[in-house]
Amino acid sequence: LMAQNTAEASTEGAVELPAAPSDDDTPHASKTNFVFFFPPSFDLSPSIRPMQQTRGMATEKQLFTQMQSTKNIQKITSSMKMVSAAKLKGDENRLAVAKPFNVWTTPLCGEPISMEDATYDDLPQKTLLVPITSDKGLCGGVNSFISRGVKEAVRKMQESGQECDIVVIGDKGRGQLRRIHGDIIKRSATEIQSPGTFTLAAALSAELVAAGAADYDAVVIMYNTYVNAAVYKQAYKVIKPFSGEGEDEPMMAYEFEPDTKAEIMVDLYEYLLTSQLFHSFMDGAASEQSSRMAAMENASKNAGEMIESLSLQYNRARQARITTELIEIISGASALEG
């Protein structure tokens, strides 16, 4: 800070303040100008700069608290893994029962088609997509794979000029799809009871019929198919309604008594939807439990590695504290002796 009695002083980085008014009204009264010198890099803008926070070393208490939290998380993930393993056994048994029950639909609908590298060229002009997902998370990529497949199918169908709508089964699938394709989601079914039953599949089939499934050229069920405890894949089934005349009339080789074929075809179509949904639901449930078991196993393993790393840091911090305390004691004793 430097005070001068002249108003002509100017230096780089200087700021001159106006002179204070004098109490003397005479024309010869002196006035004092104050000139402040700042370095050229000094910022005089009125903006407030945020304070830089420096991150220090974690204390022993913080490390111990984090270790205990990680151990609790490891206990939870290990328990969830064991629960999923027990549920997987039941889902495998139910899937084994559902497979032979659904064999009769193969001649009518064909084999399931893998979603990997699928072009969806076999789908008709107007299609109703039915992705089957779960209501709960922490199960790996079970729901993400199905949602990704639905998005890819919608994109390819729209590029080729085809129409499609969506009926979502499961809260996770609804949450992932409504952000992008919320305008074409007609209905959604959430909070589905587990384990699934044929009655549940019949209720879902009734929802599809209420959504106008018969007005579409095909209903496409997209689901996870269970291979083994470590592998599951994504597939879709194409279910077309029993409609047509002349050469396209369904089941020409069969005779119907009494002559109410149209009503029988409607009932058979709804029963076909129920059977396919039941099988797909059982397949998806087994895939979900196998994926959750693998995810919880990986989480438990990662938690164990984190606990080992935190234990090493905690022991180092504790050793450093003890060493510092010993040095202070020895230094104090030496000072007293001296």
Side-chain angles (χ1 to χ4, degrees), residues 282-305:
M282 294 296 101
D283 229 350
S287 301
E288 176 189 351
Q289 295 302 333
S290 66
S291 180
R292 179 174 286 112
M293 185 177 65
M296 292 301 101
E297 182 180 1
N298 293 333
S300 301
K301 186 184 300 183
N302 294 337
E305 295 176 359

Side-chain angles (χ1 to χ4, degrees), residues 77-282:
T77 54
S78 299
S79 301
M80 292 182 67
K81 175 192 172 184
M82 291 187 291
V83 171
S84 297
K87 289 184 177 180
L88 176 61
K89 186 62 178 177
D91 288 331
E92 285 179 339
N93 296 334
R94 284 185 286 271
L95 178 60
V97 174
K99 280 184 176 180
F101 184 79
N102 196 57
V103 170
W104 69 275
T105 62
T106 303
L108 299 176
C109 302
E111 293 289 343
I113 305 172
S114 176
M115 291 174 58
E116 186 177 1
D117 300 328
T119 59
Y120 303 101
D121 295 334
D122 55 333
L123 300 183
Q125 178 63 27
K126 189 176 181 181
T127 307
L128 180 64
L129 304 179
V130 184
I132 297 180
T133 60
S134 65
D135 288 323
K136 299 180 181 179
L138 299 177
C139 52
V142 166
N143 301 313
S144 300
F145 290 147
I146 294 297
S147 299
R148 192 183 308 165
V150 172
K151 295 175 185 177
E152 185 69 14
V154 172
R155 183 184 65 82
K156 290 183 178 180
M157 293 181 68
Q158 289 178 348
E159 288 178 354
S160 60
Q162 297 171 307
E163 300 178 9
C164 63
D165 292 323
I166 302 175
V167 174
V168 187
I169 298 176
D171 184 62
K172 292 299 180 180
R174 181 185 63 175
Q176 295 174 3
L177 292 173
R178 68 179 176 183
R179 293 192 293 267
I180 300 178
H181 300 299
D183 55 331
I184 60 176
I185 295 180
K186 299 302 179 183
R187 294 196 178 200
S188 61
T190 59
E191 298 182 4
I192 300 174
Q193 64 179 0
S194 181
T197 60
F198 193 80
T199 304
L200 172 64
L204 294 176
S205 177
E207 287 292 326
L208 292 180
V209 173
D215 299 332
Y216 293 87
D217 298 331
V219 174
V220 177
I221 302 176
M222 313 179 85
Y223 66 105
N224 290 289
T225 175
Y226 177 79
V227 179
N228 53 51
V231 180
Y232 60 92
K233 298 180 180 180
Q234 292 72 46
Y236 68 93
K237 302 174 182 177
V238 181
I239 306 172
K240 297 181 179 180
F242 300 118
S243 61
E245 298 179 355
E247 296 180 356
D248 297 332
E249 184 177 353
M251 296 188 177
M252 291 290 294
Y254 297 89
E255 295 182 0
F256 295 86
E257 294 182 1
D259 191 12
T260 55
K261 184 175 180 180
E263 297 179 4
I264 294 177
M265 289 294 100
V266 172
D267 295 339
L268 181 61
Y269 177 66
E270 186 172 350
Y271 186 72
L272 176 64
L273 276 177
T274 304
S275 181
Q276 290 282 38
L277 281 173
F278 177 67
H279 173 261
S280 302
F281 197 77
M282 294 296 101

